[in-house]
């Protein structure tokens, strides 16, 4: 899901004080207390960040990155069954 141009993703958090929001505040634009926009150049970066943030972050849009995260999480889960 690599993107060659600047893009943005609509995201949600249940942890408004999360480490993710603090660490990446330069590329985040809060839209309300639990939704924000992440500006990014590389879809793989966003995918990895979302996976590593666990339940702190949910990608709402773009759908193709959301699907990629879902698929990778499913594959990882099979290792723990």
């Amino acid at each position: 899901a690599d993107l060659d141009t600047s893009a943005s993703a609509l995201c949600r958090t249940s942890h408004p004080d999360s480490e993710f929001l603090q660490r990446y505040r330069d590329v985040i634009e809060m839209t309300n207390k639990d939704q924000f926009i992440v500006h990014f150049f590389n879809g793989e970066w966003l995918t990895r960040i979302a996976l590593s943030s666990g339940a702190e972050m949910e990608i709402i849009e773009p759908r193709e990155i959301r699907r990629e995260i879902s698929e990778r999480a499913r594959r990882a889960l099979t290792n723990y069954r």
Side-chain angles (χ1 to χ4, degrees), residues 56-72:
E56 288 185 9
M57 174 184 183
E58 175 190 359
I59 304 290
I60 301 169
E61 294 286 342
R63 289 278 190 209
E64 54 274 1
I65 291 179
R66 184 180 172 91
R67 281 191 293 272
E68 179 66 22
I69 293 165
S70 176
E71 179 56 33
R72 288 188 194 186

Side-chain angles (χ1 to χ4, degrees), residues 11-18 21 33-36 53-58:
C11 306
R12 179 180 5 228
T13 184
S14 57
H15 301 85
D17 59 345
S18 76
L21 293 175
K33 68 181 175 118
D34 66 345
Q35 286 192 350
F36 57 95
S53 70
E56 288 185 9
M57 174 184 183
E58 175 190 359

Side-chain angles (χ1 to χ4, degrees), residues 6 8 10-11 14 21 23 25 30 34 39 41 45 53 56 59 66 68 71 75 78-79 81:
S6 180
S8 59
L10 178 61
C11 306
S14 57
L21 293 175
R23 180 180 295 160
R25 67 181 168 266
M30 295 302 293
D34 66 345
H39 300 282
F41 286 93
W45 173 83
S53 70
E56 288 185 9
I59 304 290
R66 184 180 172 91
E68 179 66 22
E71 179 56 33
R75 287 193 312 247
T78 63
N79 291 335
R81 290 188 174 164

Side-chain angles (χ1 to χ4, degrees), residues 21-56:
L21 293 175
Q22 297 302 316
R23 180 180 295 160
Y24 297 105
R25 67 181 168 266
D26 292 344
V27 296
I28 290 175
E29 181 182 334
M30 295 302 293
T31 57
N32 62 41
K33 68 181 175 118
D34 66 345
Q35 286 192 350
F36 57 95
I37 295 171
V38 177
H39 300 282
F40 65 97
F41 286 93
N42 184 288
E44 180 63 22
W45 173 83
L46 184 61
T47 300
R48 289 177 182 217
I49 293 301
L51 285 166
S52 69
S53 70
E56 288 185 9

